[in-house]
Amino acid sequence: DVVRSVQPADMVCSYVRQSHALGLGHAVLCAEALVGDEPFAVLLADDLMRGVPGGPGVLQQMAQVHAQHGGSILAVQEVPLDQVNRYGIVSPRTIAAGVHQVEGLIEKPAPDKAPSNLAVIGRYVLPPEIFPILRKTTPGKNGEIQLTDALRELARKFPMYALEIQGQRYDA
Ligand code: G1P
């Protein structure tokens, strides 16, 4: 019953396997044929999110910013400086309350190399233009094909925004 409640009868589920553990960027690339030529969302299942009770969910908040500004939307949260080395960290230029244009990103920087303490948490709204970039992305941090590296390239060519989400994140 719980599964039925989160999967309405008219929803179609398809899946694709990432047969080698080559990193998050590679995992997203594996979904290219399913996604096709349209914007899509990436939800990292080990980041659980809950919007503010009674308010919009996190993905809905991101969809609203996407409807307003277009481009890519990354969910971010402030983290203590001694934890920036666990996350993708954005270089932000603030354009509205809680909304920042992303001028750069770096995966898991040391605190003294971090451009801010705004950490990417596991929700992304991305355009299909990420796929050709991912195909050319070489292994980065920890020898993995990093989504963050491809996003940095994407941000050079297309608008990208970081949204400080309203709600709670539970890191599994
Ligand atoms: C991944 C991403 C990282 C992001 C994080 C959010 O890292 O590579 O940029 O900040 O998810 O949870 P992982 O936690 O898989 O090492």
Side-chain angles (χ1 to χ4, degrees):
D1 284 349
V2 172
V3 172
R4 280 194 200 97
S5 74
V6 295
Q7 189 190 327
D10 59 354
M11 179 190 266
V12 176
C13 288
S14 304
Y15 79 95
V16 59
R17 236 182 109 230
Q18 182 191 25
S19 48
H20 302 283
L22 297 179
L24 175 58
H26 175 256
V28 172
L29 187 54
C30 289
E32 179 177 13
L34 282 180
V35 169
D37 192 25
E38 58 183 336
F40 63 103
V42 175
L43 292 76
L44 304 189
D46 56 354
D47 278 327
L48 301 182
M49 306 282 186
R50 215 166 103 179
V52 175
V58 168
L59 210 52
Q60 199 179 339
Q61 295 170 36
M62 297 172 75
Q64 281 166 0
V65 175
H66 181 262
Q68 197 180 349
H69 294 281
S72 307
I73 316 293
L74 316 181
V76 297
Q77 250 181 0
E78 286 195 89
V79 297
L81 204 56
D82 65 358
Q83 290 178 19
V84 291
N85 61 356
R86 302 182 192 174
Y87 300 96
I89 300 293
V90 302
S91 174
R93 189 170 61 79
T94 305
I95 58 167
V99 184
H100 315 269
Q101 176 123 26
V102 175
E103 302 201 316
L105 296 100
I106 176 166
E107 180 70 6
K108 303 193 173 90
D112 62 335
K113 298 270 174 357
S116 75
N117 68 337
L118 282 178
V120 177
I121 50 179
R123 299 291 182 277
Y124 311 76
V125 172
L126 301 176
E129 285 79 11
I130 192 72
F131 293 122
I133 296 174
L134 279 170
R135 254 181 260 125
K136 284 193 239 143
T137 302
T138 51
K141 191 95 184 179
N142 301 330
E144 297 180 343
I145 296 171
Q146 295 289 350
L147 181 59
T148 298
D149 293 342
L151 291 175
R152 185 170 51 249
E153 185 65 23
L154 185 70
R156 286 200 191 106
K157 301 176 183 158
F158 301 98
M160 181 177 290
Y161 303 94
L163 171 66
E164 291 184 60
I165 58 109
Q166 305 286 316
Q168 183 70 39
R169 162 176 177 263
Y170 302 92
D171 185 352

